[in-house]
Amino acid sequence: MPIRAVLWDIDDTIFDYSGADRVGMRKHLELEGLPAAYTSPDHALDVWKAVTDLHWARFAEGELDFAGQRRERVRAFLGRPLSDAEADEWFGRHAAHYEAAWTLFPDTVPVLDLLADAYRHAVLSNSSIHHQDRKLRALGVRDRFEAVVCAVELGVSKPDAGAFHAACQVLELSPREVAYVGNEPDIDAGGAVAAGLTGIWLDREGRGGRPELVRITGLHELPGLLAGDTRFGAPDTFG
């Protein structure tokens, strides 16, 4: 069965989340001051990434809601108790700098242009529709996707098969007709494959390994991969 649609992850796939978060937090710390626990801005940025990964995973497992994971990130990073309002205010000041640094990866729009006529396009994200829809509009690409499906509203997150199947249902396509592209080997590509989709790992950092997964190192490789339409029977040949 041919692939008829591409389902996309957003953060660190088409949008440079890590870059924007790091730039935004560096600016935030310049204005707020470096907390005493950190020896340098780079040290603080590394810890911020670690606490973000930790509490985002708790959110994905349903332990925290969307606002709660933000508050817990702030409390862990600052290493002190804060009220919800205090944590929200601190995160809000950071978010202003983070959003000012929002940018798409350079290969995003060219590849969306190349694929526009041949495939339908939608988004499946482990975030919230309010946040991701606003982000896509700010970046000027919301109209490229016929649907944006998000975990907060679904009540289930990637890599659970239910999240992938829900997005396929929105498209009214079977999983076999949909390819999923994302930057995480397990949450994105592996989860998609387990759910019956064609999973494609976008390994921008060149981590390598995982020969069982179809891997590309940039979106420029995606049109040729999809055009072959062989169900990607030899994943180790694609980067």
Side-chain angles (χ1 to χ4, degrees):
M1 187 176 294
I3 292 171
R4 299 175 57 191
V6 181
L7 196 58
W8 297 84
D9 177 48
I10 297 178
D11 295 343
D12 284 330
T13 296
I14 63 172
F15 159 67
D16 187 3
Y17 167 80
S18 294
D21 190 53
R22 200 166 180 91
V23 168
M25 181 55 71
R26 188 179 292 275
K27 180 65 175 177
H28 182 51
L29 293 176
E30 287 176 3
L31 297 175
E32 298 277 320
L34 186 68
Y38 303 113
T39 57
S40 68
D42 284 338
H43 178 206
L45 292 169
D46 289 344
V47 172
W48 176 250
K49 183 180 186 308
V51 300
T52 295
D53 291 345
L54 171 64
H55 294 294
W56 190 262
R58 294 180 65 199
F59 162 70
E61 290 296 322
E63 295 180 29
L64 297 169
D65 62 17
F66 190 73
Q69 58 84 22
R70 287 182 164 185
R71 292 165 183 156
E72 290 304 303
R73 286 157 63 189
V74 174
R75 290 170 179 138
F77 178 74
L78 294 179
R80 66 175 189 266
L82 295 171
S83 68
D84 286 354
E86 289 171 330
D88 288 344
E89 289 171 4
W90 192 95
F91 192 94
R93 294 193 298 274
H94 155 62
H97 302 299
Y98 156 64
E99 292 182 13
W102 280 0
T103 186
L104 296 168
F105 285 105
D107 55 4
T108 296
V109 170
V111 170
L112 288 173
D113 285 344
L114 285 171
L115 299 177
D117 294 334
Y119 304 93
R120 296 167 62 193
H121 298 270
V123 163
L124 174 61
S125 168
N126 270 2
S127 186
S128 72
I129 186 66
H130 169 75
H131 185 65
Q132 298 295 54
D133 186 85
R134 186 170 70 86
K135 181 187 293 177
L136 292 170
R137 292 183 190 280
L139 293 167
V141 292
R142 175 60 184 86
D143 62 343
R144 303 296 188 111
F145 306 101
E146 60 184 85
V148 178
V149 181
C150 292
V152 169
E153 290 71 32
L154 284 178
V156 62
S157 302
K158 302 175 296 179
D160 192 296
F164 294 99
H165 291 164
C168 292
Q169 288 168 9
V170 168
L171 291 169
E172 298 183 338
L173 295 174
S174 73
R176 291 182 60 199
E177 296 176 286
V178 181
Y180 190 83
V181 181
N183 69 295
E184 292 292 343
D186 295 315
I187 293 172
D188 293 324
V193 170
L197 290 75
T198 296
I200 302 169
W201 175 27
L202 175 59
D203 182 16
R204 290 189 182 276
E205 298 176 355
R207 287 179 280 177
R210 307 300 300 272
E212 76 279 13
L213 297 176
V214 175
R215 183 176 75 98
I216 59 176
T217 58
L219 291 181
H220 65 282
E221 298 174 54
L222 184 60
L225 183 63
L226 292 172
D229 200 15
T230 62
R231 303 303 299 180
F232 315 145
D236 58 336
T237 67
F238 298 108

